[in-house]
């Protein structure tokens, strides 16, 4: 290819330095070489350049990571890599070759990093032809508003069993006439592509256009299980859309085929002329796919890349807003503590958040460790419903707020988290369990600075299978890997085991493992145990708050009814445990005064956890190994078992105690090792700082902790307000039961108010 031919393909501005063209050994056609400092008019031009270079050199390229500005979210850097980068498929070899271009202040894109060495043979056979690349016209920037913008994620993967729509493949091949006919339930196809072609042809014959709608993924492996194709006038994101409800949904079967399982043929607008549509059938189909790509951008999600719409659009059906707002207003009239918020962008409804008075009250005591449950993202939920869940004093899940999230952009997650903070009087959790996707990570870091973000275990497991591939099936590797993750007791021990693993199995170039090592404090048990997570197991097993009440396919007319049933069911379970804790006595197994003390204070469920640790402590022996002033260190190990060893530090001057197992820091209950040292030191009562108020019977009845135990005045102000409000709610219910009770309740209230005024 000569300079003129290259110029017809892209515009490249080279800074002074090595020439971009190099003559070949035969002295004939010149070839191009990337180098640091090479300038391009756009990121697309850089991609075209690297594609051409790869074609000449004998390899294919893929689009790698992109990086966004923290200020405005715009793309500031892109990577283009060899197609054999990574280890996600058997064909990939972890090739390190890549280029990275960075956007300069002038608006030009400069090649900032390059690596030209490959770790595989290059394919230089055959005729080298420049690739045909369609130019894109950048979309006109949308006006900004004070409300955060949003994007809608749609993944595009290889066509096949995964069920992804391969737009590039459809564009490359000439469209074959799809069978004419009307869609019906039970109609099956060999692939999602075939189903899309069929529905597109049907739409053309009927006089309307189609768009690719939602996809749904499996909880187990993340594969696509269902797809929706909708009328182009579905939704209200654009003035031309009228909320049309026509669609066709296909479901993947165990055989690998796709079957139409849901269908609506009713349109709420006039259809066009079938003749006119048919005349432009092939062209409009290709244009639609092309326009679909024009409106998409690449975003890193779950460690991979997804195509994301640049224009904001809500994945929440328009009918939901009216129903929810009516419900919120009704609830607010009944519950003065009810809070709700609605995100609006350019006049369009987006995400929704709500929390009733009981949830807001619960947060004052149980909002220290929360789970941001976005299970809808890995399943075929019809509505993007998310919840904030804590752990109450009976170790039950407790609801702390709910949301419908319009899309999976950083802006949407940030808005929802900020709404939760507003509803909870500015309270921020000590720890949060949430998915590890970059938008969620960034939102948590922004809204909850200082909060320990722990990754959801389901994502880690899915990514292990995806990125470690065949290694996970090797028993030796699996044992060593899990031992490194779960058994390491210190940071140096973990680093050493990790290094051995990486070297032994030649995983130095595994980009996923590199990234996970950088984020080890968010998923490795060693680093998690030092933070309070209310005892939620490291494997993430926790009883679901909504359980079977809210199924993936719940419809609008059932959603609120099922939601309220779930809330009432869980609160009734909490009331039962409250009653049991105040009216039942757990059997004591020792004469240790610590056991009697904790039975008096703890709820039954928490006391049983403590009691188990106390009983286990009698099977351990403690040996003093060090004394530094008032601090004594003990080696505590199980009798007859030298493998389990923990170090306990005890300060005799103030009775402070800490154990290397970190159970108290993680769970808020003293471990067997610390209790063994208390026995050795003849401590007859547990210091109050080791009896967390959140685990006591009085956790939600307004019994405040000692002010000196921590927390600012604002924390106690919110706690006092919600505690009094909850107590007043019960008082009003009792006082309004009859006219006689009302008179008595009113007199008591007046007397109480007079006493409070006299104290001022």
């Amino acid at each position: 290819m000569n300079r003129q031919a290259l110029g017809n393909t892209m515009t490249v501005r080279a800074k002074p330095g090595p020439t971009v063209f190099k003559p070949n050994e035969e002295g004939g056609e010149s070839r191009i070489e990337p180098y640091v400092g090479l300038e391009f008019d756009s990121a697309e031009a850089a991609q075209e350049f690297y594609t051409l270079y790869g074609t000449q050199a004998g390899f294919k390229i893929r689009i790698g990571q992109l990086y966004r500005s923290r200020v405005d979210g715009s793309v500031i850097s892109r990577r283009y890599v060899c197609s054999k980068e990574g280890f996600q498929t058997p064909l990939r070899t972890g090739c390190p070759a890549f280029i990275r271009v960075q956007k300069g202040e002038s608006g030009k894109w400069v090649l900032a990093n390059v690596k030209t060495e490959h770790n595989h043979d290059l394919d230089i056979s055959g005729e080298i032809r420049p690739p045909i690349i369609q130019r894109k016209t950048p979309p006109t920037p949308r006006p900004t508003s004070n409300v955060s913008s949003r994007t809608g994620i749609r993944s595009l993967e290889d066509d096949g069993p995964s069920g992804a729509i391969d737009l590039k493949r459809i564009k490359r091949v000439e469209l074959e006439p799809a069978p004419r006919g009307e869609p019906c339930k039970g109609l099956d196809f060999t692939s999602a592509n075939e189903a899309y072609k069929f529905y597109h042809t049907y739409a053309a014959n009927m006089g309307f256009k189609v768009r690719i709608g939602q996809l749904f993924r499996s909880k187990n492996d993340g594969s696509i299980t269902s797809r929706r194709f909708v009328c182009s006038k579905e939704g209200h994101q654009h003035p031309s859309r009228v909320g049309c409800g026509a669609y066709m949904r296909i479901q993947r079967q165990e055989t690998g085929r796709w079957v139409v399982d849901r269908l609506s043929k009713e349109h709420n607008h006039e259809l066009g002329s079938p003749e006119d549509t048919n005349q432009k059938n092939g062209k409009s189909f290709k244009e639609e796919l092309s326009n679909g790509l024009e409106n998409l951008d690449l975003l890193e999600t779950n460690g991979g890349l997804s195509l994301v719409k640049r224009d904001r659009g809500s994945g929440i059906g328009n009918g939901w807003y009216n129903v929810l707002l009516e419900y919120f207003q009704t609830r607010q009239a009944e519950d003065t503590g009810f809070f709700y918020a609605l995100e609006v962008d350019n006049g369009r409804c987006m995400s929704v958040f709500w929390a009733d008075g009981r949830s807001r009250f619960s947060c004052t005591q149980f909002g220290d460790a929360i789970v941001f449950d976005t299970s809808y993202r890995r399943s075929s939920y019809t509505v993007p419903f998310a919840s904030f869940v804590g752990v109450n004093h009976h170790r039950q899940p407790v609801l702390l707020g709910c949301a419908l999230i319009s899309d999976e952009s950083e802006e949407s997650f940030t808005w929802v988290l900020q709404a939760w903070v507003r509803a909870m009087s500015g309270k921020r959790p000590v720890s949060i369990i949430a998915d590890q996707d970059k938008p969620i990570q960034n939102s948590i870091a922004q809204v909850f600075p200082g909060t320990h973000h722990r990754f959801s275990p389901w994502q880690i497991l899915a990514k292990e299978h995806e990125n470690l591939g065949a290694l996970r099936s090797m028993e030796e590797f699996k044992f060593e890997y899990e031992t490194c993750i779960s058994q390491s007791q210190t940071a140096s021990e973990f680093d050493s085991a990790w290094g051995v693993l990486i070297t032994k199995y030649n995983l130095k170039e595994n980009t996923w493992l590199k990234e996970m090592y950088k984020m080890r404090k968010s998923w490795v048990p060693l680093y998690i145990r030092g933070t309070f997570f209310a005892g939620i197991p490291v494997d993430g097993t926790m009883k679901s708050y909504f359980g079977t009440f809210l199924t993936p396919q719940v419809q609008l007319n059932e959603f609120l009814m099922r939601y309220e049933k779930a809330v009432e069911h869980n609160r009734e379970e909490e009331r039962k445990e409250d009653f049991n804790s105040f009216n039942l006595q757990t059997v004591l197994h020792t004469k240790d005064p610590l056991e009697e003390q904790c039975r008096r204070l703890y709820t039954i469920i928490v006391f049983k956890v403590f009691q188990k640790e106390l009983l286990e402590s009698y099977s351990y022996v403690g040996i003093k190994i060090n004394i530094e002033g008032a601090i004594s260190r003990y080696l505590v190990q199980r009798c007859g078992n030298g493998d389990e060893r923990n170090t306990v530090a005890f300060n005799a001057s103030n009775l402070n105690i800490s154990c290397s197992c970190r159970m108290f820091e993680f769970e808020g209950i003293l471990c067997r090792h610390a209790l063994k040292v208390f026995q050795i030191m003849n401590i007859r009562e547990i210091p109050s700082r080791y009896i967390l108020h959140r685990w006591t019977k009085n956790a939600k009845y307004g019994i405040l902790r000692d002010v000196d135990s921590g927390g600012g005045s604002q924390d106690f102000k919110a706690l006092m307000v919600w505690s009094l409000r909850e107590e007043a709610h019960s008082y009003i219910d009792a006082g309004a039961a009859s006219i006689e009770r009302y008179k008595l309740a009113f007199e008591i209230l007046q007397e109480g108010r007079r006493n409070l005024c006299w104290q001022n």
Side-chain angles (χ1 to χ4, degrees), residues 304-469:
L305 290 173
S306 295
L307 286 175
V308 182
K309 287 185 65 178
R310 292 193 185 106
D311 292 338
R312 289 199 81 180
S314 176
I316 305 169
N318 191 60
W320 285 78
Y321 295 107
N322 293 332
V323 173
L324 285 173
L325 288 175
E326 183 177 346
Y327 170 73
F328 295 160
Q329 290 162 7
T330 302
R331 291 288 289 113
Q332 202 168 51
E334 302 168 350
D335 177 6
T336 56
F338 192 91
F339 175 98
Y340 72 90
L342 180 66
E343 181 192 17
V344 179
D345 177 61
N346 291 329
R348 291 173 297 180
C349 296
M350 307 298 284
S351 298
V352 184
F353 173 86
W354 72 95
D356 62 12
R358 182 66 177 276
S359 290
R360 299 175 74 188
F361 172 66
S362 296
C363 188
T364 61
Q365 288 291 19
F366 311 124
D368 43 10
I370 65 174
V371 177
F372 183 38
D373 186 355
T374 53
S375 302
Y376 75 89
R377 303 176 63 242
R378 60 183 185 272
S379 186
S380 53
Y381 277 76
T382 56
V383 61
F385 175 73
S387 59
F388 293 85
V389 179
V391 179
N392 70 8
H393 52 325
H394 304 298
R395 294 168 70 95
Q396 298 169 316
V398 59
L399 188 62
L400 305 178
C402 298
L404 299 187
I405 304 179
S406 53
D407 70 0
E408 300 191 4
S409 67
E410 182 178 330
E411 292 84 355
S412 288
F413 290 121
T414 299
W415 182 89
V416 169
L417 295 179
Q418 288 173 337
W420 186 83
V421 172
R422 290 196 303 272
M424 304 307 163
S425 304
K427 183 178 180 66
R428 287 172 170 78
V430 173
S431 60
I432 182 172
I433 300 175
D435 292 347
Q436 71 181 86
D437 304 74
K438 287 295 182 183
I440 295 181
Q441 284 192 57
N442 295 340
S443 296
I444 290 174
Q446 177 183 338
V447 182
F448 299 147
T451 296
H452 193 146
H453 176 193
R454 171 175 145 195
F455 294 159
S456 302
W458 74 269
Q459 270 193 330
I460 296 173
L461 184 61
K463 286 300 172 183
E464 282 176 358
H465 287 288
E466 178 181 336
N467 292 279
L468 298 180

Side-chain angles (χ1 to χ4, degrees), residues 12 82 90 98 124 149 282 299 326 346 409 448 466 478 490 503 546 555 582 593 608 621 648 667 716 728 754 756 758:
V12 179
C82 173
F98 77 97
I124 56 175
S149 61
L299 177 69
E326 183 177 346
N346 291 329
S409 67
F448 299 147
E466 178 181 336
K478 185 177 180 181
T490 64
T503 303
F546 288 97
Q555 297 300 309
F582 279 104
K608 287 181 178 179
V621 60
V648 178
E667 195 162 348
F716 288 106
R754 283 194 293 269
L756 287 176
W758 288 339

